[in-house]
């Protein structure tokens, strides 16, 4: 399946891009993050991140569908 | 891919939120959360709070400070996941309406490059009485800082810069 990833803040720096489309067999966000963390050297463990799929917060075990927009959100620092 | 935080001008007023007037009736005054990549026009936002039912208006301005955690800072960059930030911000504004007897709420957060003294976030609340206005304004700014997907990068006087990810 193809997933559209967006990266923000230090994850953007680590990935070296603001987003990418990847082909993956990961069935859920947890598996997808493990794959991306290995590829890009993301330092965050999943317990420090939140997940959003297609613009809405969701859980790590939500099954992903082809062409989903998936975002792993590092701890926020607005204000 | 163009970074999402540079995609055009963003100042999107959310759809009108149901509000309650002083008699508990629903009214249609605008309450707003928006992400903006342009300087925040404080005067314009204050005018959005006007309501003849409001005897109080409380505003909070978050400004860029020249130091943090013992390091001298000369500027900040803010980045947001705009779609989700605006949705989560709108939820926070709606929650504040449910919790406090307020008339109008406006909150705008900047993204992009900010200099010392620039307004990074502005939150304003009008209400019948000052207690609800202070409480709701505090609620909005606290929840925005904790929940909305916005990140700041500090640029230090000595040359380095870092994204802030609290809770490490």
């Amino acid at each position: 399946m193809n997933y559209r990833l967006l990266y923000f803040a230090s994850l953007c720096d680590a990935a070296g891009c603001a987003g990418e489309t990847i082909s993956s067999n990961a069935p859920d966000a947890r598996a997808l993050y493990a794959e991306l963390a290995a590829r890009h050297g993301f330092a965050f463990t999943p317990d420090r991140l939140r997940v959003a799929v297609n613009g809405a917060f969701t859980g790590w075990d939500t099954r992903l569908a082809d062409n989903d927009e998936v975002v792993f959100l590092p701890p926020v620092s607005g204000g | 891919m163009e970074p999402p935080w540079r995609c055009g001008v963003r100042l999107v007023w959310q759809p009108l939120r149901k509000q309650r007037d002083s008699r508990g009736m629903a009214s249609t005054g605008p309450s707003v959360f928006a992400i903006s990549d342009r300087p925040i026009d404080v005067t314009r936002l204050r005018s959005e709070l006007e309501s003849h039912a409001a005897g109080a208006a409380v505003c909070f301005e978050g400004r860029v400070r020249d130091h943090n955690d013992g390091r001298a800072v000369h500027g900040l960059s803010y980045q947001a996941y705009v779609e989700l930030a605006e949705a989560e911000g709108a939820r926070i504004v709606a929650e504040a309406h449910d919790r406090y007897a307020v008339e109008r709420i406006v909150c705008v957060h900047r993204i992009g490059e900010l200099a010392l003294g620039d307004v990074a976030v502005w939150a304003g609340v009008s209400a019948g009485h000052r207690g609800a206005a202070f409480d709701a304004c505090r609620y909005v700014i606290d929840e925005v800082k904790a929940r909305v997907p916005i990140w700041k990068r500090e640029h230090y006087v000595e040359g380095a810069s870092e994204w802030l990810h609290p809770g490490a």
Side-chain angles (χ1 to χ4, degrees), chain A residues 1 3 6 13 16 19 23 27-28 35 42 45 56-57 62 69 76:
Chain A
M1 285 189 285
Y3 300 127
L6 297 178
D13 289 355
S23 179
D28 55 30
E35 195 176 307
F42 293 154
T45 52
F57 291 117
T62 303
E69 179 183 279
V76 300

Side-chain angles (χ1 to χ4, degrees), chain B residues 128-144:
Chain B
H129 303 280
R130 68 186 183 284
F134 276 114
D135 291 347
C137 191
R138 179 72 189 243
Y139 179 83
V140 168
I141 189 61
D142 285 353
E143 294 297 309
V144 164

Side-chain angles (χ1 to χ4, degrees), chain B residues 23-47:
Chain B
R23 295 155 298 174
M25 303 292 287
S27 66
T28 55
S31 281
V32 166
F33 180 90
I35 298 291
S36 175
D37 66 358
R38 292 195 292 185
I40 291 174
D41 183 343
V42 169
T43 304
R44 178 189 158 201
L45 295 184
R46 279 183 60 186
S47 72

Side-chain angles (χ1 to χ4, degrees), chain B residues 54-71:
Chain B
V58 169
C59 307
F60 171 82
E61 290 179 16
R63 297 181 174 188
V64 178
R65 186 180 58 212
D66 71 356
H67 64 280
N68 191 39
D69 213 10
R71 302 173 79 175

Side-chain angles (χ1 to χ4, degrees), chain B residues 106-155:
Chain B
V106 174
C107 184
V108 177
H109 202 299
R110 268 297 301 279
I111 52 175
E113 307 301 316
L114 278 71
L116 297 181
D118 284 353
V119 177
V121 57
W122 192 93
V125 178
S126 60
H129 303 280
R130 68 186 183 284
F134 276 114
D135 291 347
C137 191
R138 179 72 189 243
Y139 179 83
V140 168
I141 189 61
D142 285 353
E143 294 297 309
V144 164
K145 286 176 70 81
R147 291 163 48 186
V148 175
I150 300 170
W151 299 270
K152 71 161 69 78
R153 184 179 193 121
E154 291 183 336
H155 301 283

